[in-house]
Amino acid sequence: MRSWPQTRGVFAGVQISSRFQTTNSSALQTLRKATAQSLFRELHKLPKLRKIQPIEAIEAADSLEDLFSGKFSKAIHNAGDLARGDLVEFKVKLSASWIFQISSMIAEFSEMFDESPMLFMDHVKFKDLYQAKNANKIVSKLLAGLIPVDGVVSDYLVIERGAEKFIVHKGVARNLNGDFSLLRIVGVTEHLGYWKDIRRILFADNEFTILCRLSKNGIQNDWNPIKAADIFKELAPDLAKQIEVASRTAMLQSTSGRSEESMDPATAKLTFALAKYQDKLLGQIDHGLTSDQLSELDRAIASLAVDGFTAEGQRSAFASVRAMIEDRTGLTIESSADLELRENIRNSLEIPLFPQPSQERRHLTGPDNLEAQMEEANLLDVEVVAIYW
């Protein structure tokens, strides 16, 4: 079953033509939705259907020895036992993959620029925009109508024991101080499979429950979101990775206004994190800023000299952005909400709280370093059966 049933809410009113909306007719969508929901309900009731699934509150382990004692068989799973075709179900903070986000942003900005060029005349480098539009044509062609998704699992973590990796429920591990890391779900979905505007699903960092089928055995270290690039595997084996790394680097450099300089990957990541932090912080408060004031704030934050190599440099960068926003809005931002937002952004972009020493990182230059950071993750490569909440 290749549908993604959304179990709450249906669009009504004007049908808007957009790359973010499905092109199904109302009648076809209603029929498909009713059929899929009925079949999914029956599928979901089957016993022992899923190898891993969300579980209710569970007793916490007292130690790592207790965790691996066999008492928590429903809450701990050896990743080596997961095989292609197994069904798993997780709560996931879902978003579109980097490459699709970049492609969408470039396409939307290009359209806005074409419609109202005078609004952007003083702030856009035409050479950069022209190159971005041309590159985006290649990316859109390679995506072939598919939407790569990438989500951080909310209810499970990964821990290594010897040469093996285990997927552990957060509830059972809540009192432990082991070296736990995040688990991510990655895969590709079809645009027509969505019954809602995808901006509400893939661009809002909301939590959903995902039922999915594993495409590969166990936990993976890398993933190719551009499936059409496999056609060119013989000619250019690393084409997909090169495109994504180049796209990320170009976007982050243009965001910071330093497109002519070489930017360290750690600094590039932090620069993008600051922009995301600014947007989400402003979205949480009644800021009352005009469009001109928001543009001036964007430029001020983009011009910050940041140090992504040290914990202090990261803390200082976030604090500077918060201070700028408080100064311009006259509002005081609650520290607890600010800290939670920073941690969410760190986790979503996989920015470590304690980076590697700067001397070690500065020896790793160029796109290869960013590529290595992209692969420092525990990934489950899946085929999505359903996204729901």
Side-chain angles (χ1 to χ4, degrees):
M1 178 176 64
R2 295 304 304 274
S3 298
W4 294 270
Q6 308 298 326
T7 59
R8 295 185 185 176
V10 178
F11 277 126
V14 179
Q15 297 294 320
I16 302 173
S17 176
S18 167
R19 69 174 55 83
F20 296 109
Q21 293 175 316
T22 178
T23 56
N24 292 325
S25 69
S26 297
L28 176 61
Q29 180 166 309
T30 301
L31 178 61
R32 290 177 65 240
K33 189 172 184 179
T35 303
Q37 285 184 331
S38 177
L39 291 172
F40 178 73
R41 189 179 301 112
E42 296 302 318
L43 174 69
H44 204 264
K45 290 179 181 177
L46 294 176
K48 299 181 180 179
L49 172 71
R50 292 145 290 181
K51 209 158 191 178
I52 303 177
Q53 61 186 357
I55 56 179
E56 301 298 328
I58 190 171
E59 177 188 355
D62 297 324
S63 64
L64 289 177
E65 290 73 19
D66 188 30
L67 177 65
F68 291 102
S69 65
K71 291 168 52 179
F72 305 98
S73 58
K74 292 184 178 180
I76 180 169
H77 308 272
N78 190 330
D81 295 337
L82 297 177
R84 180 183 179 188
D86 285 343
L87 283 173
V88 293
E89 187 177 29
F90 295 103
K91 293 179 180 178
V92 177
K93 287 187 177 178
L94 189 64
S95 64
S97 174
W98 260 84
I99 195 70
F100 186 79
Q101 291 188 37
I102 294 168
S103 177
S104 300
M105 284 189 284
I106 292 174
E108 288 293 299
F109 182 79
S110 298
E111 285 186 9
M112 290 189 293
F113 183 82
D114 292 340
E115 292 174 2
S116 305
M118 296 304 297
L119 290 176
F120 308 97
M121 196 67 71
D122 297 331
H123 312 298
V124 174
K125 295 180 180 180
F126 294 100
K127 180 180 178 182
D128 290 348
L129 180 60
Y130 178 76
Q131 291 177 340
K133 289 175 70 173
N134 285 337
N136 196 43
K137 291 178 182 178
I138 299 174
V139 171
S140 298
K141 184 76 172 178
L142 292 173
L143 286 175
L146 299 175
I147 301 177
V149 294
D150 185 339
V152 178
V153 175
S154 306
D155 50 349
Y156 282 86
L157 297 168
V158 175
I159 186 171
E160 293 189 32
R161 191 187 193 202
E164 296 180 312
K165 290 186 177 182
F166 291 83
I167 299 174
V168 182
H169 193 273
K170 278 187 175 180
V172 77
R174 62 181 179 271
N175 295 333
L176 303 181
N177 295 319
D179 187 16
F180 292 95
S181 54
L182 295 174
L183 175 65
R184 284 169 48 203
I185 296 291
V186 293
V188 292
T189 58
E190 298 175 15
H191 199 164
L192 290 177
Y194 292 89
W195 295 340
K196 289 190 176 184
D197 188 318
I198 62 172
R199 285 171 293 193
R200 298 178 59 187
I201 302 171
L202 300 180
F203 288 83
D205 288 329
N206 289 326
E207 183 177 270
F208 297 91
T209 301
I210 295 184
L211 178 66
C212 45
R213 182 173 62 182
L214 295 181
S215 298
K216 295 183 178 180
N217 298 337
I219 289 177
Q220 307 297 313
N221 293 321
D222 61 357
W223 174 63
N224 171 18
I226 309 176
K227 298 306 179 184
D230 292 339
I231 299 171
F232 305 96
K233 187 175 292 185
E234 293 290 332
L235 181 64
D238 296 326
L239 177 62
K241 288 183 181 179
Q242 290 173 359
I243 290 174
E244 184 163 11
V245 171
S247 300
R248 290 191 188 201
T249 305
M251 187 191 72
L252 295 172
Q253 288 177 342
S254 63
T255 301
S256 67
R258 290 175 236 174
S259 59
E260 294 182 2
E261 300 178 13
S262 175
M263 180 181 290
D264 293 305
T267 302
K269 260 193 172 184
L270 181 57
T271 300
F272 183 69
L274 294 178
K276 195 170 183 178
Y277 171 71
Q278 171 203 351
D279 292 340
K280 288 189 176 293
L281 207 55
L282 289 173
Q284 292 180 358
I285 61 176
D286 184 17
H287 57 76
L289 298 178
T290 66
S291 57
D292 288 342
Q293 289 172 323
L294 288 172
S295 297
E296 189 276 328
L297 178 61
D298 287 340
R299 291 193 292 273
I301 292 175
S303 63
L304 279 175
V306 299
D307 175 14
F309 292 107
T310 64
E312 176 59 28
Q314 293 181 13
R315 187 205 63 78
S316 176
F318 280 109
S320 296
V321 172
R322 175 182 172 179
M324 286 182 181
I325 293 175
E326 289 183 331
D327 179 60
R328 285 162 173 78
T329 61
L331 301 173
T332 300
I333 298 168
E334 188 178 344
S335 296
S336 59
D338 172 60
L339 179 60
E340 182 179 359
L341 180 58
R342 294 188 192 188
E343 290 306 307
N344 288 339
I345 291 175
R346 283 182 189 276
N347 291 337
S348 67
L349 297 179
E350 297 177 11
I351 298 177
L353 184 60
F354 300 101
Q356 295 178 16
S358 59
Q359 188 66 29
E360 179 180 343
R361 279 187 176 265
R362 286 190 173 95
H363 284 299
L364 298 171
T365 57
D368 289 341
N369 190 14
L370 183 56
E371 180 179 330
Q373 292 181 43
M374 288 161 55
E375 296 183 0
E376 290 174 2
N378 299 299
L379 311 176
L380 287 180
D381 192 342
V382 305
E383 293 181 10
V384 177
V385 177
I387 300 171
Y388 52 99
W389 75 98

